[in-house]
Amino acid sequence: SGEAPQVPVANRKSGKRSIDNGQSNRLILIGTVFEKRLIEAYVSEHGKDPVTNEELTNDDLVELKSTRIVRPRPPTLTSIPSLLSVFQSEWDALAHEIFNLRQQLLQTRQELSTALYQNDAAVRVVARLSRERDEAREALSTFSITGATATSGDAMQVDYPGLSEALVAKVEATQEKLSKTRRKRTVPDGWVDSESLGTFSPIEKSNPLFDGSRKFSLDASGDLALLGGNDGLAGVYSISQRTLLHKLNVGSYAVTDALWASNQAVLATSGGTVSVFEDGVEVATVSAHAGEVTALAIHPSGEILASIGEDKSLVFYDLTSNTPVKQVQTSSALTAAAFHPDGHLFAAGGTDGQIKVFDVKSGVNVANFEAEGPIQDMEFSENGTWLASAVGGPGSSAVSIWDLRKSTEIKSIQVGSPVVGMKWDYTGQFLAIASSGGVIVWEYSKASKVWSEPLRSGIPAISVAWGVRAKSIVALDGDGALTVLSPQ
């Protein structure tokens, strides 16, 4: 070690000399003195004497007796020059460490800069791809081809010939006839009044008819209800007989809407088809939508049917031949549809919150109303000047009344629970509202020009309809059961 050993030892094999002084014979070891801890470490590693290279074990080491040697004080820190030397060494080490840290910081900054650049490039690429995707979707939604109608929900838009001269004449004649008599129309004798409405309560409820029913329709007699479910099954239910008269099958797709066209039952499906039945027998099935058909509407003449869908299009059909005659593309998926009571206008509500009003004869968009969210349902009033609409989504519990002449909202009815459907009565003074909180009826008095709420029933409903002379209200609940509300 270059220092005096603290625990000196020697190799007993290295050399021996016997000395006889006349009194005793002593054995003297001749060789190298080692520090015990150092030689033991060397022997454990190499197994031999470091000087003679002879085999050596720890047992061959003999500890020598010697006086305790006091180590001298280290030469460092004993004088100003040594202190300066230590400080210089520490400063050099600190400077070297700072230099290394700066190098690492520079490298980290370069790596971070590269990562940020790559992230920015990736964001730009994603934005460009998203824009190209949206452009492709827009181009696909407005793309049209000429050809026959497909037979499945994957149909593309087809260029239909448009309304025939006979249908255009029918639209004009219907408008002229109804618009002339509308303002002179009086409340029919025996029609329900506000006082009677206040006494309405559930008097009859059917068993669940079709699971997953969304809407239903009452025929002119107020007795036959048309509805369907998620499994593609539908039927005609007699309220008076409390029995299912006809079972209808539209395939494996869910029934999304149902309505009566005179004595014909019309059903829309999530597969993009519209089926027409007569006396329980299917007479036609048309597929004009590339996706789910969300709603149906019947023209006041009874000869024109309209359907809307998730493919952003509306389609008019000639019911005399059960063929589509016109298709109009819009900018958003459509969710609600209604004909004006005079038949010259058609309104379609979309997921973009817009209510688009079209001229039936030309298909031109003539007006738009901006709501606060996706349109859940809407209904023209029989007075010909108002349109009621409801917005879907959480927290939406109001019905908006729009004035077609002023193109403004004139009334907001707060229901208190999400609105799913609505229906005006024939006189245009009562609006029945279906909500998760129950069936509510609002009344507008022409004399006092005041809105009031004559009825609030706790029967949850997703669709409602008025009975004959508004003497009853039929409500459909989420289980597919029909409830009749009438005075006790």
Side-chain angles (χ1 to χ4, degrees), residues 160-450:
Y160 296 112
L163 271 67
S164 63
E165 293 182 0
L167 287 179
V168 171
K170 176 63 69 173
V171 171
E172 293 175 346
T174 301
Q175 178 187 2
E176 182 179 2
K177 176 183 176 181
L178 296 179
S179 60
K180 285 182 178 180
T181 60
R182 187 167 306 284
R183 295 191 178 278
K184 300 178 182 179
R185 182 189 298 172
T186 59
V187 178
D189 293 337
W191 203 263
V192 71
D193 56 22
S194 178
E195 184 177 352
S196 299
L197 268 174
T199 64
F200 274 29
S201 61
I203 62 171
E204 178 185 336
K205 183 177 181 179
S206 72
N207 294 324
L209 299 173
F210 297 98
D211 183 45
S213 295
R214 305 184 192 182
K215 300 179 182 178
F216 80 104
S217 177
L218 276 183
D219 71 342
S221 69
D223 180 55
L224 301 181
L226 175 65
L227 68 163
N230 283 334
D231 55 1
L233 298 179
V236 178
Y237 178 79
S238 173
I239 296 176
S240 61
Q241 301 179 33
R242 302 183 181 181
T243 185
L244 201 62
L245 300 181
H246 299 293
K247 292 183 178 180
L248 313 176
N249 192 331
V250 293
S252 59
Y253 296 106
V255 176
T256 56
D257 199 1
L259 61 77
W260 288 101
S262 185
N263 63 336
Q264 291 183 324
V266 184
L267 299 172
T269 72
S270 60
T273 61
V274 176
S275 299
V276 182
F277 294 81
E278 190 168 351
D279 295 329
V281 178
E282 183 178 344
V283 297
T285 294
V286 183
S287 177
H289 290 277
E292 178 176 317
V293 180
T294 53
L296 299 171
I298 188 70
H299 190 267
S301 67
E303 295 185 11
I304 300 175
L305 174 72
S307 67
I308 59 172
E310 291 184 343
D311 61 350
K312 306 180 182 180
S313 74
L314 60 95
V315 180
F316 293 142
Y317 305 81
D318 182 355
L319 284 180
T320 60
S321 60
N322 293 321
T323 56
V325 294
K326 190 173 187 62
Q327 186 172 31
V328 179
Q329 281 291 335
T330 66
S331 58
S332 67
L334 303 177
T335 55
F339 275 104
H340 187 275
D342 289 343
H344 64 298
L345 298 176
F346 175 79
T351 56
D352 59 355
Q354 282 197 345
I355 300 175
K356 305 171 180 67
V357 181
F358 299 87
D359 179 82
V360 174
K361 293 182 294 183
S362 63
V364 175
N365 185 194
V366 296
N368 290 317
F369 299 90
E370 191 75 31
E372 297 180 353
I375 305 301
Q376 177 68 34
D377 196 14
M378 62 184 183
E379 183 84 7
F380 280 104
S381 170
E382 283 292 331
N383 65 16
T385 58
W386 289 352
L387 173 69
S389 68
V391 172
S396 301
S397 59
V399 174
S400 298
I401 308 298
W402 304 87
D403 191 321
L404 301 178
R405 299 164 298 182
K406 302 176 182 178
S407 297
T408 57
E409 182 182 6
I410 61 171
K411 177 67 177 178
S412 179
I413 300 174
Q414 296 298 324
V415 177
S417 56
V419 178
V420 187
M422 64 188 73
K423 185 71 70 175
W424 288 98
D425 77 322
Y426 173 74
T427 65
Q429 58 181 333
F430 299 116
L431 176 64
I433 301 171
S435 74
S436 59
V439 176
I440 302 113
V441 176
W442 276 75
E443 175 189 11
Y444 177 75
S445 174
K446 296 180 180 179
S448 61
K449 297 183 179 180
V450 174

Side-chain angles (χ1 to χ4, degrees), residues 19-39:
I19 299 178
D20 186 1
N21 58 5
Q23 297 179 355
S24 63
N25 189 14
R26 292 185 296 173
L27 180 65
I28 299 176
L29 297 179
I30 301 173
T32 306
V33 178
F34 303 99
E35 176 69 64
K36 183 178 182 180
R37 61 182 176 82
L38 296 179
I39 190 61

